[in-house]
Amino acid sequence: MLGLADDPSPHRVSFYVPYGSPKISQAQPPAETEVGLVDSRTPAQIAIERERDVLVEQAMAQLPYDQREIIALHLQAGMKFREIAISLNVSINTAQSRYRYGLQKLRSLLDGKVAP
């Protein structure tokens, strides 16, 4: 996890969502998604996505808590900046600034490590 659970804030949001536990080396039929469609990703694509997720999770863990919290609330929980500002008792400008500075730091931490 990203350390959000370690903070006493009532707004705990997990940024990382695991893909599951099947081993890539095992020959398994394609998994069905929530809507019943077959997952067409290759084992290599799944491995790349998992590696990218680990890198993003590690970079998120390096952000200051206030920036990490707002990024997670906005991207994972889908909250609007107005909702975040009200729930954290900060101004909308403060919420947006923390989000912007957090994304800038994430970009610098992940520069060259993660393909778009």
Side-chain angles (χ1 to χ4, degrees):
M1 290 297 200
L2 299 174
L4 291 175
D6 298 334
D7 197 280
S9 173
H11 309 288
R12 296 181 186 142
V13 178
S14 172
F15 188 76
Y16 178 71
V17 179
Y19 282 94
S21 60
K23 294 182 180 177
I24 293 175
S25 62
Q26 297 175 345
Q28 296 182 359
E32 289 194 19
T33 61
E34 291 180 34
V35 292
L37 302 175
V38 175
D39 185 356
S40 62
R41 297 177 299 169
T42 66
Q45 290 170 323
I46 293 170
I48 290 168
E49 289 173 10
R50 287 181 180 169
E51 183 179 334
R52 182 192 60 219
D53 291 344
V54 168
L55 290 172
V56 170
E57 182 180 357
Q58 291 171 346
M60 285 286 290
Q62 293 180 44
L63 295 178
Y65 178 78
D66 58 346
Q67 293 173 4
R68 183 172 66 235
E69 179 180 41
I70 289 181
I71 290 172
L73 289 172
H74 185 66
L75 295 179
Q76 282 300 113
M79 292 177 69
K80 297 181 183 205
F81 288 113
R82 178 180 293 148
E83 297 169 325
I84 295 170
I86 291 169
S87 67
L88 298 179
N89 199 27
V90 297
S91 73
I92 293 174
N93 287 340
T94 298
Q96 290 173 330
S97 293
R98 289 177 184 175
Y99 180 79
R100 184 178 69 247
Y101 291 132
L103 287 183
Q104 286 175 348
K105 182 158 184 176
L106 276 178
R107 284 186 189 110
S108 69
L109 291 169
L110 296 172
D111 189 30
K113 293 182 183 179
V114 177

